[in-house]
Amino acid sequence: MIVDERMVTYINSLDTGSGQFLDQLELQAKKDRVPIIRREMQSFLKVLLQIKKPTKILEVGTAVGFSALLMAKYTPEDTRIVTIEKYEKRIPVAKANFQAAGMDHRITLLEGDALEILREMEDSFDFIFMDAAKGQYIHFYPEVMRLLAPEGILVSDNVLQEGDFIESHFAVERRNRTIYKRMREYLYVLKHDERLETSILPVGDGAAVSYKMKTERQ
């Protein structure tokens, strides 16, 4: 927990939910132990999306489709979403959820390895949501930046890994050290890329919000 648990519990107690379909999907995902964005991150995304009003969204990491559906609900009807998922067992579940929610005409699911798909894409997006394998963010980054339009927003979820990053490298479990190293590198790149203005926030399990400037800083 990167924020006091009592504070998070209180903030989430004020939440009014995201509608019957999404609330039920959230409960089912938790029951099935499928990781989806946390309540506080959901609230943050809702506000950010309604401020930005993106027309084209790219999501890296679909899971069962919860966040794609959330983004569809809180953006204009003409907003289109492309989402990428590799895990075969979750793909048909996500597709069924898109159809059941009546959003399959707005959401396109691309199946396969995210890096390979990103490299083949030629489109441009004004909002990109990263919520895939955390150790891969740094590898996705060059392609994501290529696809992010000027004045676009990149949101990277789960970047603080339960607060592990303030610990010594040797205090982190050996199996998590690669992710620890790569995520530290990723956050450093986000903060030092002259094309971006980035804020790292203790929301959920940590979120980095990056704005791609129209012209690079001099």
Side-chain angles (χ1 to χ4, degrees):
M1 203 46 123
I2 59 176
V3 178
D4 184 89
E5 188 172 357
R6 292 176 300 169
M7 182 67 72
V8 172
T9 300
Y10 170 70
I11 291 171
N12 287 343
S13 74
L14 301 174
D15 196 279
T16 57
S18 302
Q20 184 176 2
F21 187 89
L22 283 171
D23 290 347
Q24 286 297 318
L25 181 55
E26 180 181 22
L27 289 173
Q28 187 62 48
K30 289 180 178 178
K31 181 180 178 182
D32 296 338
R33 296 184 178 181
V34 176
I36 62 170
I37 54 176
R38 303 185 189 196
R39 272 292 171 104
E40 53 270 38
M41 187 62 190
Q42 294 174 35
S43 297
F44 180 68
L45 265 185
K46 291 175 191 177
V47 173
L48 193 58
L49 288 165
Q50 290 179 91
I51 292 171
K52 175 63 178 173
K53 294 181 174 61
T55 58
K56 296 175 73 176
I57 297 174
L58 171 63
E59 176 185 49
V60 184
T62 313
V64 293
F66 179 87
S67 50
L69 286 170
L70 183 84
M71 291 189 288
K73 181 172 181 177
Y74 289 91
T75 49
E77 177 62 29
D78 61 350
T79 298
R80 294 296 178 262
I81 300 170
V82 176
T83 182
I84 303 171
E85 180 58 49
K86 180 180 180 180
Y87 189 31
E88 293 181 359
K89 290 185 178 180
R90 289 179 183 162
I91 289 170
V93 178
K95 287 183 175 179
N97 287 330
F98 297 155
Q99 186 171 18
M103 292 290 187
D104 51 326
H105 66 294
R106 293 181 56 195
I107 303 172
T108 301
L109 197 160
L110 302 180
E111 305 174 27
D113 181 80
L115 186 55
E116 292 178 5
I117 291 173
L118 290 170
R119 284 173 174 164
E120 294 175 357
M121 295 179 76
E122 296 295 340
D123 218 334
S124 179
F125 299 88
D126 49 354
F127 194 98
I128 298 180
F129 183 53
M130 292 261 279
D131 190 22
K134 309 307 172 275
Q136 298 303 312
Y137 282 16
I138 190 64
H139 300 311
F140 297 154
Y141 183 71
E143 301 303 326
V144 165
M145 282 298 294
R146 179 178 61 84
L147 297 170
L148 184 63
E151 300 184 290
I153 292 176
L154 166 63
V155 177
S156 308
D157 198 18
N158 301 115
V159 297
L160 295 181
Q161 294 287 284
E162 299 289 351
D164 275 354
F165 295 120
I166 60 173
E167 303 295 339
S168 162
H169 172 82
F170 300 103
V172 177
E173 290 185 38
R174 186 177 295 274
R175 62 188 177 91
N176 293 330
R177 287 179 184 174
T178 298
I179 295 176
Y180 169 98
K181 180 181 178 182
R182 288 181 180 176
M183 187 57 78
R184 279 201 162 208
E185 181 183 356
Y186 179 68
L187 294 178
Y188 182 90
V189 169
L190 287 181
K191 291 293 288 186
H192 290 80
D193 191 324
E194 292 293 322
R195 298 168 292 177
L196 297 176
E197 192 65 57
T198 296
S199 178
I200 301 169
L201 306 168
V203 176
D205 193 25
V209 182
S210 306
Y211 172 78
K212 187 176 183 180
M213 287 171 286
K214 194 170 185 179
T215 56
E216 292 186 32
R217 285 174 288 197
Q218 299 299 317

